[in-house]
Amino acid sequence: MSKYFLNYLDELESEAIFILRECFEQFSNPVILFSGGKDSIVVSHLAKKAFYPSPIPFSLVHIDTGHNFPETIQFRDDIIKALGVRLLIGSVQKSIDIGHVKEEKGKNATRNILQTTTLLNLIDENKIDCAIGGARRDEEKARAKERVFSHRDKAGQWDPKNQRPELWNIYNGKHYEKEHFRVFPISNWTEMDVWNYIKRENMTIPSLYYAHEREVIWRQGAWIPNSKHIIIEDHEAVVTKNIRFRTLGDITITGGIESEADTLEKIIAEVSAIRQTERGSRSDDKRSESAMEDRKRKGYF
Amino acid sequence: MQENKQLLRFITAGSVDDGKSTLIGRLLYDSKSIFEDQLKSVQNTSKKNGIHAINLAFFTDGLRDEREQGITIDVAYRYFLTPKRKFIIADTPGHVEFTRNMITGASTANVIIVLIDARYGVVEQTKRHSFIASLLSIPHIIVCVNKMDLVDYSEDVFNRIINDYEAFSSKLLVKDIRFIPISALNGDNVVNRSKNIAWYQEAPLLHTLETMHISSDFNKVDARFPVQTLLRTQNETHEDHIKYAGQIASGIFRVDDEVTILPSKITSKIKSIDVFGKQITEAHAPMSIAISLQDHIDINRGEMIVRTNNQPKVSLNIEVLLCWLHNNKAIPNAKYTIRHTTNEQKAVIEEVIYKIDIHSLKRHTENKTLHMNDITKVKIRTDKPLIIDSYRKNKTTGSIILIDTITNETVAAGMII
């Protein structure tokens, strides 16, 4: 084969870096939405490469639900220090306290949906006009429909029927004041691409992704971690299992899988053989057929 | 294992109900790229809609309205990997009013799959979509004659459709056109060879996609580097260093190459090329790199570094094949924002030369108002010069979009002639 072509991982990386540099040029206050999950870690890594040797010109934004894995918070604080960037935190607890949102009640309550209000308030207060995220089109069917530069109106809403056509690599981020864009540099990556890239780049990721012993409860077809934030019913048993997580979110909704994969090589082997989608163990997506679309329309990440 | 795998981007096109979503569902399903929980969810939705077999189209119709109305509204992107290649599919809508979305999907594609319903043969949308493929310089067309099961897998029907298509496609500029008889619903010749179509000796669709030669689709001749952003650094003595960052649009750059900066025409030499701090001696499209030059020159975003002995045109006046993408029609003599690579200027559509009738492919010169989905040849004048190649030669330096200065929306896409 010809010498002058890129393998697909290099091509995806080059595309993502181009997109990140466009964010810097086209917007006045871009930030990276950082959840502590592998996708936002990859985006931060790409941003480091895009502007090297200058520092990353974006702040990181963490929407803190208050229901976190402690490991996630530790990882977040470490990476902020390592990258030398500013961290903005939006607190869901604060949104609840001041009455902007109301906490769900009951066994399956989650703070996931409440994040939208906290995020939109933070975007508004900090005059953010571009929120860069690690969402991938292969994650979920509504996400498969989204542009790389995705317009949000003044209320932060997404209108899937009124998206700007996006051609070649010419991205249009023009907007009015108070409107903003969500930009997804790794739209075209799959879960496997992300893992292969993490391995290739020798990146550090939270220990939660590796198999480890943990107290869990079997609920809705997934191992939900035991924590002070969940209500355990009488018929439910807390057991200790060898668990790892494929996605990281709010601790109350992130289901783990039983696994022995404690290295990147083993994770890649496991993911390539697995027959369930990555988000199959996320109870927030199971609420209805269009759960993600409905959340996204309102401004969810 | 993934080290040398290439990326192939393709789109599917055809009329409503020609089975585009079903074909993609079939490709994913038979190549084992569907997960069990997706399958279960699609089975449930299919049942709810009164369909007993699995409706493969539900794998791609991601929006609620699409599933409820059974149509595809917007482009959906799908991904799958085989031992030979990685694929990105743009599943584009067949409805006439969503042609702009088809163009969106087509602009980056190596291959277009044009679906034809075997019962109806070549229809207006077939021509329209094939023409758009030609217009956008997609190098390869695969015509899939679908629903062969509904015409008793007839070789005559297939041959008749090939004849009709060839009669019309002789006007197209695409050189590589192939024909495959398939049934997306039953899986004939999609991933697996069909027993029902024994008279067809060529490879099924997936194998064709896996083996197609695409390395020559990229321009490796004309070295073009649109400057995207500046990286400023200081060394120990606090001396300023500027690197010009961007993605190579085409061609190859090497250290010590004689280069010219356009539009200023100042010349210099490449001092270093680096990828994220690592110095390399040569780089090619589509790599994202940073270049530093031997001389201190004031260069801004939107300017272009090219090799001195191979230069593009610098011009205020361009002729463009323009696709109007918006509901609001074009306003004569209004100023639009034109975006070309990383360059942005104000521009006016000075003259509409002709409109192309997609059905007959004839040129009309009477009605010159640009409505949504119109394809026209226009003259555009910009406030400041653009650094251009023809789109046929170079997709990146030959393409533009127009942005409405009031609504900020992308209203047109153009290919420079």
Side-chain angles (χ1 to χ4, degrees), chain B residues 214-231:
Chain B
I214 55 168
S215 294
S216 312
D217 295 356
F218 305 101
N219 180 330
K220 290 176 194 135
V221 178
D222 308 303
R224 306 278 186 264
F225 184 73
V227 174
Q228 189 183 8
T229 188
L230 269 52
L231 303 176

Side-chain angles (χ1 to χ4, degrees), chain A residues 172-219:
Chain A
N172 172 10
K174 291 197 177 292
H175 59 281
Y176 283 114
E177 220 181 313
K178 299 249 177 202
E179 293 177 347
H180 75 277
F181 269 78
R182 301 286 169 88
V183 175
F184 307 110
I186 60 168
S187 278
N188 286 329
W189 298 40
T190 63
E191 183 187 15
M192 273 307 285
D193 299 336
V194 166
W195 283 117
N196 281 320
Y197 189 70
I198 287 171
K199 179 163 176 280
R200 191 187 90 173
E201 299 288 300
N202 199 14
M203 293 166 61
T204 310
I205 49 166
S207 53
L208 297 159
Y209 283 114
Y210 297 105
H212 57 286
E213 277 201 347
R214 195 171 202 99
E215 282 190 1
V216 285
I217 301 135
W218 184 251
R219 191 181 274 182

Side-chain angles (χ1 to χ4, degrees), chain B residues 116 121-122 143 145 155-169 177-181 199-200:
Chain B
I116 295 178
V122 172
V143 179
V145 180
E155 188 175 4
D156 287 346
V157 169
F158 180 66
N159 287 335
R160 203 158 56 229
I161 292 171
I162 293 184
N163 283 339
D164 288 351
Y165 191 91
E166 280 179 339
F168 138 83
S169 66
I177 305 179
R178 305 161 196 222
F179 299 88
I180 307 177
W199 46 264
Y200 175 79

Side-chain angles (χ1 to χ4, degrees), chain A residues 7-8 14 18 22 25 53 144-145 161 163 166 168 171-172 174 176 188 193 275 277 293-294, chain B residues 3 5 34 36-37 64-66 74 79 86 104 107 228-229 233 286 288 301 339 344 406 410:
Chain A
N7 73 51
Y8 77 85
S14 176
F18 177 82
E22 282 302 287
E25 285 290 342
K145 292 279 170 180
K161 276 195 187 168
Q163 304 198 78
E166 202 162 78
W168 302 289
Y171 300 104
N172 172 10
K174 291 197 177 292
Y176 283 114
N188 286 329
D193 299 336
R275 299 301 307 142
T277 54
E293 179 184 342
D294 295 340
Chain B
E3 278 312 299
K5 247 180 232 182
I34 302 264
E36 277 165 15
D37 49 335
R64 192 175 33 209
D65 289 349
E66 292 178 325
D74 203 342
Y79 305 85
K86 180 185 167 71
T104 292
S107 68
Q228 189 183 8
T229 188
T233 53
S288 282
R301 171 176 163 89
R339 286 280 305 273
E344 186 176 305
I406 297 163
T410 304

Side-chain angles (χ1 to χ4, degrees), chain B residues 163-402:
Chain B
N163 283 339
D164 288 351
Y165 191 91
E166 280 179 339
F168 138 83
S169 66
S170 57
K171 292 175 194 156
L172 303 179
L173 293 162
V174 183
K175 289 195 182 75
D176 180 18
I177 305 179
R178 305 161 196 222
F179 299 88
I180 307 177
I182 66 164
S183 163
L185 192 67
N186 298 335
D188 294 295
N189 280 343
V190 177
V191 171
N192 304 310
R193 187 174 284 283
S194 168
K195 289 192 189 78
N196 298 313
I197 315 179
W199 46 264
Y200 175 79
Q201 300 296 320
E202 310 289 315
L205 176 62
L206 182 63
H207 186 261
T208 307
L209 290 168
E210 280 179 319
T211 51
M212 202 158 225
H213 177 74
I214 55 168
S215 294
S216 312
D217 295 356
F218 305 101
N219 180 330
K220 290 176 194 135
V221 178
D222 308 303
R224 306 278 186 264
F225 184 73
V227 174
Q228 189 183 8
T229 188
L230 269 52
L231 303 176
R232 282 168 203 280
T233 53
Q234 289 185 333
N235 63 12
E236 300 79 37
T237 56
H238 294 278
E239 188 191 341
D240 250 349
H241 279 272
I242 295 179
K243 289 183 202 299
Y244 308 97
Q247 188 171 25
I248 299 176
S250 58
I252 299 152
F253 285 92
R254 295 185 182 90
V255 172
D256 288 334
D257 274 353
E258 294 270 357
V259 290
T260 298
I261 291 89
L262 296 174
S264 67
K265 291 191 177 156
I266 297 169
T267 57
S268 184
K269 257 186 173 183
I270 293 182
K271 190 164 109 190
S272 70
I273 300 173
D274 51 76
V275 195
F276 334 123
K278 202 178 79 192
Q279 301 237 326
I280 53 175
T281 52
E282 65 174 7
H284 59 89
M287 288 169 74
S288 282
I289 57 163
I291 285 178
S292 62
L293 299 176
Q294 284 187 349
D295 308 281
H296 287 279
I297 305 166
D298 179 26
I299 306 177
N300 297 304
R301 171 176 163 89
E303 298 182 17
M304 204 181 285
I305 299 174
V306 303
R307 264 218 304 278
T308 303
N309 58 11
N310 173 344
Q311 298 193 21
K313 244 167 65 181
V314 179
S315 177
L316 290 170
N317 297 292
I318 53 174
E319 283 197 348
V320 171
L321 283 172
L322 196 72
C323 305
W324 199 256
L325 307 170
H326 203 270
N327 267 325
N328 298 341
K329 56 183 195 273
I331 300 163
N333 298 316
K335 285 226 170 178
Y336 290 94
T337 300
I338 188 167
R339 286 280 305 273
H340 169 261
T341 67
T342 52
N343 190 357
E344 186 176 305
Q345 304 295 342
K346 290 283 180 286
V348 174
I349 303 168
E350 277 197 330
E351 189 191 338
V352 177
I353 303 166
Y354 57 76
K355 229 191 240 200
I356 297 167
D357 180 328
I358 297 290
H359 189 63
S360 62
L361 299 188
K362 285 201 174 104
R363 298 165 178 185
H364 291 294
T365 49
E366 312 84 57
N367 178 0
K368 293 191 171 174
T369 314
L370 304 190
H371 296 276
M372 178 131 106
N373 295 322
D374 277 348
I375 295 172
T376 56
K377 183 176 168 182
V378 300
K379 280 186 181 165
I380 290 177
R381 187 180 172 80
T382 55
D383 281 1
K384 284 186 183 149
L386 299 181
I387 304 142
I388 53 164
D389 289 297
S390 78
Y391 183 82
R392 291 243 147 247
K393 237 175 97 183
N394 200 323
K395 279 193 185 185
T396 311
T397 52
S399 53
I400 58 129
I401 63 166
L402 294 182

Side-chain angles (χ1 to χ4, degrees), chain A residues 57-217:
Chain A
F58 315 127
S59 299
L60 263 50
V61 164
H62 181 227
I63 301 304
D64 181 354
T65 61
H67 291 174
N68 299 294
F69 287 94
E71 293 95 326
T72 306
I73 299 299
Q74 185 59 50
F75 187 88
R76 176 196 78 187
D77 294 342
D78 291 347
I79 208 169
I80 291 299
K81 223 179 279 168
L83 294 175
V85 289
R86 191 165 74 117
L87 175 69
L88 294 169
I89 298 173
S91 160
V92 171
Q93 186 61 52
K94 214 186 263 170
S95 301
I96 295 168
D97 294 344
I98 54 179
H100 281 166
V101 289
K102 203 162 169 256
E103 187 144 33
E104 287 187 332
K105 293 267 189 298
K107 179 183 152 190
N108 290 323
T110 144
R111 286 185 164 187
N112 193 43
I113 191 103
L114 309 184
Q115 292 182 72
T116 302
T117 306
T118 310
L119 172 62
L120 291 177
N121 287 345
L122 183 133
I123 285 174
D124 198 37
E125 283 158 18
N126 291 279
K127 296 192 166 56
I128 290 162
D129 57 355
C130 168
I132 302 161
R136 308 186 325 264
R137 285 167 176 157
D138 83 319
E139 272 180 88
E140 210 281 336
K141 52 190 179 298
R143 284 201 166 147
K145 292 279 170 180
E146 194 156 12
R147 300 283 189 257
V148 173
F149 270 45
S150 181
H151 180 258
R152 294 291 189 280
D153 67 13
K154 286 192 170 81
Q157 299 174 107
W158 178 55
D159 181 359
K161 276 195 187 168
N162 187 27
Q163 304 198 78
R164 289 179 184 173
E166 202 162 78
L167 298 106
W168 302 289
N169 66 345
I170 313 180
Y171 300 104
N172 172 10
K174 291 197 177 292
H175 59 281
Y176 283 114
E177 220 181 313
K178 299 249 177 202
E179 293 177 347
H180 75 277
F181 269 78
R182 301 286 169 88
V183 175
F184 307 110
I186 60 168
S187 278
N188 286 329
W189 298 40
T190 63
E191 183 187 15
M192 273 307 285
D193 299 336
V194 166
W195 283 117
N196 281 320
Y197 189 70
I198 287 171
K199 179 163 176 280
R200 191 187 90 173
E201 299 288 300
N202 199 14
M203 293 166 61
T204 310
I205 49 166
S207 53
L208 297 159
Y209 283 114
Y210 297 105
H212 57 286
E213 277 201 347
R214 195 171 202 99
E215 282 190 1
V216 285
I217 301 135

